[in-house]
Amino acid sequence: MIDPVAKFPSELDQLPDRDTEETAEWAASLDAVAKAAGPHRAAYLMRRTLQHAEGAGLALPKLLETDYVNTIPSSSEPVIDGDEEMERRITAWNRWNAAAMVTRGSKYGVGGHIATFASAAWLYETGFNHFFRGKEGDGSGDQLYIQGHASPGIYARAFLDGRLTEAHLDKFRQESGGDGLPSYPHPRRLPWLWEFPTVSMGLGPLSAIYQARFNRYLTNRNIKDVSNSHVWAFLGDGEMDEPESTAALALAAREGLDNLTFVINCNLQRLDGPVRANFKIVQELEAQFRGAGWNVVKSLWGGAWDELFQLDTTGALVRRLREVPDAQVQTYQTRDAAYIREDFFGKDPALVEMAKLLSDDKILECFHLSRGGHEPRKVYAAYKAALSHKGAPTVILAQTVKGFTLGEGFASKNANHQMKKLTNDEFKNMRDLLELPISDDQFVDGVVPYGHPGADSPEVRYLQERRAALGGPAPARRSHALAPLPAPADKSFAAFDKGSGSQSMATTMAFVRLMKDLIRDKTSGKRWVPIVPDEARTFGMESLFPSLGIYSPKGQTYEPVDRDQLMYYREAKDGQILNEGITEAGSMADFIAAASAYATHGEPMIPFYIFYSMFGWQRTADQMWQLGDQLGRGFLVGATAGRTTLTGEGLQHADGHSPVIAATNPAALSYDPAFAYEVAAIVKDGLRRMYGEAAPGEDRDVFYYLTVYNEPMPQPAKPSGIDEGIIKGLYRFNTAETAGVTVPVNASRIQLLGSGTAIHWTLEAQKLLAEEWGVAADVWSATSWTELRRDALEADAALLRGEERIPFIRKALEGVDSPVLAVSDYMRQVPDQIAQWVEQDYSSLGADGFGLSDTREAARRHFGVDAQSIVVAALAQLAKRGEVPVTSVKEARERYGL
C-alpha cells in the first residue's frame, strides 16, 4: 500500500526493515552530528563509512566522487626505482628540444604545439623510464597511444636517444622531401616509430579499449600469449568530450580489462578555454569512470600541498578545493599571492587563519607550480597502482598546468594552444629554470639551439639503459619479416565459377558461403576474425554461431534459449566471432586492432567486418581513415548495399553513396561486384596482395571494401579470361550476339556498363533494346569504378613524367566505336569517376537523392535506373548521334509509362 504522505512512490524504501529501531538510531546519530559538528562533518562520516564498506566487500553502491585530493597520499608513495636527478635532467632536455623544434619550424609557417607536452612531460617520461615495455623483450611489448599534440616531446626524446638527428627535427611538419617528421602520430608517414594514429580526437581512447580487448582475444584463442602487454592511452581532458572517448567504457569494465590504463592529462584547458569553466572536469570524469566500473586514481596536487593539508584540521581546505570551479583555478595560476589570499582563502574563516601561517612564496609554489602531474613521484605512484590493480581497467586523472615551464606568457593562458613559439628571452628564462648548460653564445643569428648532452653522456647512457631493461626503444613499430600466409585451396573460390543454375542467390550469401569455406582452411582458417554489429542473422551468418562461437571472456554462463536448435547462440572464451552489439564504431575499432596485428603482435589476422552498407562509411569514415593511417589490412563488407535493393527500410537505410566516400580513402580498394564469382575472385586477390605473395611494387598495406546485396538472383557461370578485368575494374560480360538476343544486321550498338545489382537491370535492358527497338547492346561488368579512376590518374601522372601509359579503361574499350551508358545503384557521381578517360560518347544513370520505402521495382522506376529507363536513356544517346529516330525516344517513354 502506498503511503499517502509520500510525494512519489519512489521515495518509499521498498526493502524490508528487520529492525526499524536500529535504523532510527543510525538516522538520529547522523542528525546529531550534523547539528553538533555541522553538515560537512556529517557528510564526511557518511563518505568514510561508505568507503570502509566498499573496502570490506559489502554490496553497496560505490561513491561516484571522492574529495578533490590525491588518491595516494604522500605517505603511501613507493620509492622510485631509479635516479630521480638524472631523470629530471633528461626531462629538461626533452622539454627544451620540443619547444625549440616547434619554434624553429614556425619561421616556415608550419605550426606545431608546444603547451601540451609541456604539461604532460612527466606523464610520458615516468612511463618511458620505468613502465612502458618495448618490443625487443618477450611478447609484444606495450601499446602506447600518444596524445597527438604531444608529438614534439616524443620526437625530442628520440633525438636524445639517437634515433633522430637535428636534421630530422628541423624537418618537423615538412615531409615532402621524404625524411621529415609528421605533425602527429602517423604510422603511414613514420612507420618505424608510430604504431597508432591518435590525433583525430576520441578515436584514440576508443581504439585503446578495443586493442586491450583484442589482446585478450588473441590470448584466449591461443593465437599468441600477449597477457604481459599493457595498453596505455594518453588523453586530454578536453578530448573526453568526444562521444567516442567514453563510448566503450562499460565494455572495458565489463570484460575486466586490467591490461588497460587511461592517463588523462587534466590541464583544465581545451583549445579555446577551460574544459569546464564553471564546474570541475576531474570530478566529472571520476564519476563517469567510477560509474562505468573503472578503478580511478587521482594525482592532483604536488608535495608542496602536504603542509597545507596537514594544517587543514577542519576540512575547510578540502571543501574549498572541491567548490572552486576550474576556470578560477586557472586564474590562480596567473595571479599573485595577494589575490589568492583574498579569493581562495578569504572565503572561509578557517582558511583565513591558515593563510596567516603561509608565506607568499609558499602560496605561489602551491598554486603556480605544485601539481600531481608535474611530480615524478606522484606519477610513479599512480602508474604502480594502475598496474597492480586487478579485475578492472584504471584511469589516472593527473592535474597539470598547460604550458608548464614555458614561462608566464604560456602557462594557463587560454590562447596557448595556438601559440607556436617562444622568444629568445623566454627560452633563456626557460633554460635557467631547467638548469640546462646552454650558453647565450649558442643562439647564433637569433636562432634557438637544440640541446644535447652528448651521445656518451650520463643522461643518454641512463636513458638507453632504462629502455634496454624495459625491452628496447618506445614508441616503436615493428615491420616483422613474416612469411606469406599459404593461399587457401582453390576449390573454395572455384565453387562459384559454375554459377547457381536456376537457383537464386544474393551476393551477400555468396560472400558468407565463401567465408565459411575459408574459415575451415586448416592453415589460415583460425586467422579469420569475423566482426558483425549485432546483425549476423540479417546477413545469414547465424550458422557460424555454434561452429565458431562468439567471443566472450566469460564463456557462456547460461543456457541459451535456442540450445535445442541446430544454429543455437553459442558464446565461448575462445570464440572466433566478434559480435559487438549495436556499435559500428566499436566494430571498426575491433577491425583496426585485428587489421594491424601483423605489426603490433607479429601475427597476421584476417578481419572481415560485415555491416549494413549505409551504416559503415557514413558513420565511421574517420575510423576508416585511421585504419589507412595505421596500415591496416582486411575486408570491409557493406551488405544490403545500394539505394534500391533494401525494400521498405527507407531513407536512412538506402545507401547510394558509400562508394563515393570510400573513393576518398587512398588505402581503400573499393569494389561493387555483380556476381558470386566476382566476389570470390576479389577476395582471392585480396588475400594474395595483403597476406600472400604481393607483386613487385604492389602496396600490401591496403584494405578492401566490397558492396554485396540481399537481392537473390540467378548467378551466371564465370566467363573465361576475365580475371584481370575483375580486379582492375571492368570486363565485357557478353555481347548482344553471345547473349542470345536477335538484332538486325548493322543494328545500332551501345555499350552498357553496369555495377553491382544494376547489372541485372542492364541485362534486362539489353534484351528489351534488341527485341523491341532493334538495338544491339553489349553488357560490361564494372566491378570497380574507383580502381579504374585510380589507374587512369596514375597514367596521367606517368605522362607528366614523360612515360607513355594507357589507362586500363581505354584499353578495355579500345576498338569500340559505339556510345557508352553506365548504370549504378549509387549516385551518378560513382560511375562518373571515369568519364573523362572514356573516349567514346559517355553518359550515366544513378540513384541520386534520398532513398524511399517501396518495392524494388517502384524504387528503380522512381530513380530512373530500371530496365525501361535504361532503354530510354540508351535510345536518347543513340538519337543524338542520329543512329535511331528521335521519335523512338518519345515512343519508348510512352510505352513504358515514363
Side-chain angles (χ1 to χ4, degrees):
M1 182 175 179
I2 297 176
D3 184 349
V5 178
K7 293 181 181 178
F8 301 104
S10 59
E11 293 181 2
L12 297 175
D13 183 359
Q14 299 181 54
L15 296 175
D17 190 343
R18 295 187 303 174
D19 192 336
T20 57
E21 184 176 344
E22 182 182 35
T23 304
E25 289 175 356
W26 275 72
S29 297
L30 190 63
D31 291 341
V33 171
K35 184 177 180 180
H40 296 303
R41 177 61 180 169
Y44 173 82
L45 288 176
M46 287 300 299
R47 288 200 302 275
R48 289 302 298 266
T49 301
L50 285 172
Q51 288 171 348
H52 179 79
E54 182 179 336
L58 299 182
L60 287 173
K62 294 183 179 180
L63 285 171
L64 293 185
E65 287 185 35
T66 59
D67 286 322
Y68 203 67
V69 295
N70 295 344
T71 302
I72 305 169
S74 296
S75 59
S76 300
E77 291 169 4
V79 176
I80 292 181
D81 180 22
D83 187 331
E84 293 184 59
E85 172 57 25
M86 186 69 72
E87 292 173 17
R88 185 198 66 77
R89 299 207 303 265
I90 290 170
T91 304
W93 286 115
N94 292 338
R95 287 183 181 279
W96 176 274
N97 288 321
M101 172 174 49
V102 176
T103 297
R104 286 166 69 124
S106 67
K107 66 182 179 180
Y108 301 110
V110 296
H113 299 284
I114 302 178
T116 295
F117 178 73
S119 68
W122 277 115
L123 302 180
Y124 291 106
E125 293 297 321
T126 303
F128 286 130
N129 288 329
H130 299 282
F131 295 97
F132 304 157
R133 298 175 67 252
K135 297 183 176 300
E136 295 174 0
D138 295 335
S140 301
D142 289 351
Q143 287 81 55
L144 308 180
Y145 287 77
I146 305 294
Q147 193 178 5
H149 293 147
S151 61
I154 309 305
Y155 291 140
R157 189 170 226 275
F159 168 63
L160 203 67
D161 195 10
R163 294 197 289 166
L164 292 175
T165 65
E166 286 192 14
H168 287 118
L169 300 192
D170 266 344
K171 296 206 71 178
F172 174 59
R173 291 194 169 193
Q174 300 170 68
E175 299 179 75
S176 58
D179 58 348
L181 300 180
S183 52
Y184 303 125
H186 292 307
R188 186 167 285 273
R189 291 299 184 209
L190 202 60
W192 61 267
L193 181 71
W194 298 121
E195 272 198 292
F196 308 108
T198 54
V199 81
S200 189
M201 292 190 180
L203 300 191
L206 180 70
S207 295
I209 290 173
Y210 280 88
Q211 181 66 57
R213 197 273 198 108
F214 189 74
N215 290 355
R216 291 280 172 86
Y217 173 88
L218 287 178
T219 301
N220 288 337
R221 288 197 54 222
N222 297 314
I223 301 292
K224 182 179 182 179
D225 185 356
V226 294
S227 53
N228 287 329
S229 290
H230 199 84
V231 178
W232 300 83
F234 289 84
L235 318 168
D237 47 1
E239 180 179 7
M240 300 311 293
D241 282 346
E242 289 283 4
E244 295 87 354
S245 294
T246 56
L249 297 187
L251 177 143
R254 185 169 64 245
E255 298 202 359
L257 297 181
D258 50 24
N259 60 339
L260 169 68
T261 297
F262 276 16
V263 182
I264 303 181
N265 178 15
C266 297
N267 56 36
L268 313 185
Q269 286 184 252
R270 53 189 180 198
L271 307 190
D272 286 331
V275 179
R276 292 291 183 272
N278 298 297
F279 305 93
K280 301 192 80 63
I281 185 61
V282 169
Q283 300 299 89
E284 179 181 321
L285 291 174
E286 178 183 27
Q288 194 169 15
F289 278 86
R290 280 183 176 273
W294 286 54
N295 175 47
V296 178
V297 177
K298 294 196 290 190
S299 183
L300 307 181
W301 307 111
W305 283 83
D306 289 348
E307 180 183 342
L308 276 68
F309 288 127
Q310 289 170 4
L311 294 172
D312 183 27
T313 58
T314 66
L317 175 63
V318 173
R319 290 197 300 273
R320 182 70 179 133
L321 289 174
R322 188 184 181 95
E323 69 188 22
V324 175
D326 284 351
Q328 192 63 25
V329 173
Q330 184 179 347
T331 298
Y332 294 149
Q333 180 69 33
T334 65
R335 299 300 180 89
D336 60 19
Y339 178 89
I340 298 172
R341 285 182 186 276
E342 179 182 352
D343 192 86
F344 181 83
F345 292 96
K347 304 296 185 182
D348 188 293
L351 293 181
V352 171
E353 294 303 312
M354 179 189 294
K356 292 177 181 178
L357 304 175
L358 303 174
S359 67
D360 285 356
D361 287 344
K362 182 65 177 181
I363 289 175
L364 292 179
E365 180 187 13
C366 289
F367 283 84
H368 284 194
L369 302 175
S370 190
R371 299 290 187 275
H374 294 322
E375 297 191 8
R377 289 194 177 193
K378 306 295 183 186
V379 177
Y380 185 89
Y383 287 6
K384 274 277 195 182
L387 290 180
S388 63
H389 187 83
K390 301 303 177 185
T394 294
V395 59
I396 295 169
L397 303 174
Q399 186 165 259
T400 66
V401 174
K402 194 167 185 177
F404 188 68
T405 73
L406 297 181
E408 294 181 0
F410 270 82
S412 284
K413 294 298 175 67
N414 281 338
N416 62 20
H417 187 78
Q418 301 302 326
M419 297 162 71
K420 311 298 182 186
K421 59 183 177 180
L422 278 69
T423 66
N424 280 355
D425 286 342
E426 288 172 324
F427 266 111
K428 291 173 183 178
N429 289 335
M430 181 182 176
R431 170 201 62 191
D432 296 340
L433 175 66
L434 298 176
E435 301 177 348
L436 290 171
I438 298 173
S439 67
D440 289 354
D441 295 340
Q442 291 176 259
F443 287 77
V444 179
D445 297 327
V447 178
V448 59
Y450 293 120
H452 200 293
D456 197 38
S457 64
E459 291 93 335
V460 172
R461 288 201 306 270
Y462 180 88
L463 183 155
Q464 293 175 342
E465 287 169 1
R466 298 302 301 179
R467 289 312 315 157
L470 288 165
R477 182 181 183 274
R478 289 289 180 264
S479 296
H480 300 270
L482 301 174
L485 288 181
D490 237 12
K491 63 179 181 180
S492 297
F493 306 103
F496 301 96
D497 289 355
K498 294 181 180 179
S500 62
S502 59
Q503 181 184 1
S504 292
M505 178 194 299
T507 51
T508 296
M509 184 52 64
F511 177 82
V512 172
R513 287 188 185 180
L514 176 62
M515 288 303 105
K516 290 179 182 177
D517 286 343
L518 295 177
I519 291 172
R520 281 197 290 261
D521 184 87
K522 292 182 179 180
T523 303
S524 61
K526 68 178 183 179
R527 297 193 175 274
W528 285 91
V529 183
I531 302 167
V532 60
D534 202 35
E535 289 279 6
R537 298 182 192 277
T538 300
F539 309 133
M541 293 175 60
E542 65 270 27
S543 62
L544 298 178
F545 289 168
S547 59
L548 301 183
I550 299 165
Y551 173 74
S552 169
K554 289 186 176 293
Q556 193 156 37
T557 62
Y558 61 92
E559 183 178 356
V561 67
D562 54 0
R563 183 62 183 87
D564 57 343
Q565 298 178 15
L566 181 63
M567 293 183 286
Y568 69 97
Y569 195 84
R570 184 175 77 90
E571 296 186 79
K573 190 173 182 179
D574 62 349
Q576 193 163 354
I577 300 170
L578 293 174
N579 190 318
E580 287 307 348
I582 305 173
T583 167
E584 287 81 8
S587 298
M588 265 308 301
D590 266 335
F591 187 90
I592 292 169
S596 53
Y598 73 92
T600 308
H601 295 297
E603 294 289 343
M605 304 300 288
I606 314 172
F608 76 86
Y609 164 32
I610 187 167
F611 49 86
Y612 260 84
S613 67
M614 186 63 174
F615 306 137
W617 287 88
Q618 294 82 343
R619 286 194 176 182
T620 57
D622 198 11
Q623 287 179 282
M624 274 82 162
W625 197 262
Q626 176 190 6
L627 169 65
D629 191 349
Q630 201 164 315
L631 309 175
R633 305 169 184 173
F635 297 93
L636 296 176
V637 185
T640 58
R643 183 144 279 164
T644 69
T645 59
L646 191 57
T647 58
E649 296 286 357
L651 184 148
Q652 284 194 282
H653 283 65
D655 172 23
H657 51 287
S658 68
V660 178
I661 308 175
T664 65
N665 191 312
L669 277 61
S670 180
Y671 287 90
D672 187 23
F675 304 122
Y677 65 76
E678 292 177 356
V679 173
I682 293 165
V683 171
K684 180 180 180 181
D685 189 70
L687 289 173
R688 175 201 62 79
R689 178 169 177 172
M690 295 185 290
Y691 300 95
E693 298 284 358
E698 202 171 31
D699 186 3
R700 295 166 62 90
D701 298 322
V702 296
F703 60 93
Y704 283 63
Y705 175 53
L706 282 73
T707 49
V708 292
Y709 300 85
N710 69 333
E711 185 172 15
M713 301 293 288
Q715 296 295 327
K718 180 181 179 181
S720 60
I722 62 168
D723 287 285
E724 181 186 29
I726 292 176
I727 303 307
K728 291 195 171 181
L730 183 70
Y731 68 92
R732 182 154 44 197
F733 176 72
N734 68 18
T735 64
E737 291 75 18
T738 59
V741 296
T742 303
V743 292
V745 179
N746 298 322
S748 298
R749 186 174 291 268
I750 190 167
Q751 308 299 312
L752 302 179
L753 279 57
S755 66
T757 197
I759 198 80
H760 300 290
W761 332 320
T762 306
L763 289 168
E764 187 180 347
Q766 178 189 48
K767 184 178 180 181
L768 291 174
L769 282 167
E771 294 179 351
E772 299 186 14
W773 306 99
V775 172
D778 302 334
V779 173
W780 301 67
S781 180
T783 54
S784 179
W785 308 103
T786 302
E787 286 305 293
L788 290 172
R789 175 181 174 80
R790 288 177 177 170
D791 173 79
L793 289 171
E794 290 174 7
D796 286 355
L799 190 62
L800 292 175
R801 297 192 300 266
E803 304 170 16
E804 191 65 34
R805 180 175 163 188
I806 302 172
F808 181 80
I809 181 64
R810 286 186 182 162
K811 287 182 184 178
L813 295 173
E814 189 175 8
V816 171
D817 60 359
S818 51
V820 173
L821 174 61
V823 187
S824 167
D825 200 24
Y826 296 94
M827 55 196 301
R828 288 175 61 181
Q829 188 175 338
V830 176
D832 284 352
Q833 291 181 85
I834 66 170
Q836 73 183 79
W837 293 280
V838 177
E839 296 176 318
Q840 294 80 3
D841 290 342
Y842 185 88
S843 64
S844 64
L845 295 175
D848 285 74
F850 288 115
L852 75 166
S853 299
D854 214 314
T855 65
R856 291 185 178 118
E857 293 75 15
R860 285 161 190 168
R861 175 57 58 92
H862 170 82
F863 287 111
V865 293
D866 60 345
Q868 291 78 13
S869 298
I870 295 172
V871 169
V872 173
L875 293 174
Q877 199 169 355
L878 290 169
K880 282 184 181 179
R881 295 162 57 93
E883 296 185 20
V884 300
V886 175
T887 56
S888 297
V889 181
K890 180 181 179 183
E891 183 183 347
R893 281 201 303 268
E894 293 173 350
R895 181 183 302 181
Y896 300 135
L898 297 175

